[in-house]
Amino acid sequence: MTVAHPTSSVTGIVESVNVGEPRAVQVDGHTVWTAIWKSPVEGRVALQGVNLRGDDQADRTVHGGPDKAVYAYALHDTQWWEAQLGPLGPGTFGENLTVRGLAVSEAVIGERWVVGSTVLEVAQPRLPCFKLGLRMGDPRFLKRFAAAGRPGAYLRVVQEGDIGAGDRIDVVSRPAHGVTSALVSLAVLREPELLTTALEAPELAAGLRNWIQKRVRKTEGRGA
């Protein structure tokens, strides 16, 4: 069941649109390719298929694809990190959209955003991999990110179009199940007892849903 809201009820603003191509990074004597370094771009940016123009992923087996087409992160979450780490700036967390005025991590899985001429749907949280540690210059940062409960959200593309800095974000529908990106992150990374709650979101990305289902079955098997 999806509950529609007036477009004026929940809104935000695109602070910046950030893109990046894969680059080679030297790690312990070997080369790692990553596109986690994103930089703001000016003007309208086309969103077609599973990427914004000028953006890409180095390893599409774990990054990108239909359920990770656009990554959004809240400006206030970046500012929270800046209070601990110093200046960071837009795109630091590999996000494509730095968002002002919207609690991205509290977005409900399946809620839909009208942004520019696009329509996007929240699909899953960001689950940190070692490349975030590379970006932050600290392999231990993954644990800090997981503990902070500020995962942001990946979105799938419902309608292609273009997005630019300053665009309004209207949350036009929000599923009644109430399962948020932050809850799914917490369930997967820290509190497995919440995994069955995470499965109440039918719009959850299929790959993550399958992983959670297997984890729940395994846990139930041990308890039998």
Side-chain angles (χ1 to χ4, degrees), residues 71 73 81 93 126-128 132 140-152 185 189:
Y71 179 47
Y73 204 68
W81 285 110
F93 295 92
R126 194 310 177 32
L127 301 174
L132 181 59
R140 298 168 298 179
F141 186 76
L142 276 66
K143 290 185 177 180
R144 291 183 67 177
F145 187 83
R150 299 166 183 267
S185 174
L189 298 175

Side-chain angles (χ1 to χ4, degrees), residues 1-126:
M1 176 181 176
T2 298
V3 179
H5 292 265
T7 57
S8 61
S9 64
V10 185
T11 62
I13 297 292
V14 177
E15 184 75 9
S16 66
V17 180
N18 316 300
V19 301
E21 297 282 355
R23 65 170 67 179
V25 179
Q26 296 300 312
V27 181
D28 297 330
H30 64 278
T31 301
V32 173
W33 284 87
T34 177
I36 197 170
W37 271 265
K38 309 289 187 187
S39 299
V41 290
E42 297 182 356
R44 310 299 302 171
V45 184
L47 174 59
Q48 296 180 318
V50 295
N51 272 316
L52 287 156
R53 185 182 65 242
D55 196 54
D56 204 349
Q57 297 78 39
D59 183 358
R60 291 200 178 180
T61 63
V62 291
H63 299 291
D67 291 327
K68 296 181 180 179
V70 176
Y71 179 47
Y73 204 68
L75 176 62
H76 76 261
D77 285 334
T78 297
Q79 292 170 336
W80 184 86
W81 285 110
E82 286 180 329
Q84 303 176 50
L85 304 173
L88 297 174
T92 294
F93 295 92
E95 77 270 19
N96 300 113
L97 302 181
T98 305
V99 173
R100 173 162 43 93
L102 195 63
V104 178
S105 295
E106 296 303 321
V108 173
I109 302 298
E111 76 175 40
R112 291 192 173 187
W113 300 0
V114 173
V115 191
S117 59
T118 74
V119 179
L120 308 176
E121 183 177 279
V122 176
Q124 69 176 79
R126 194 310 177 32

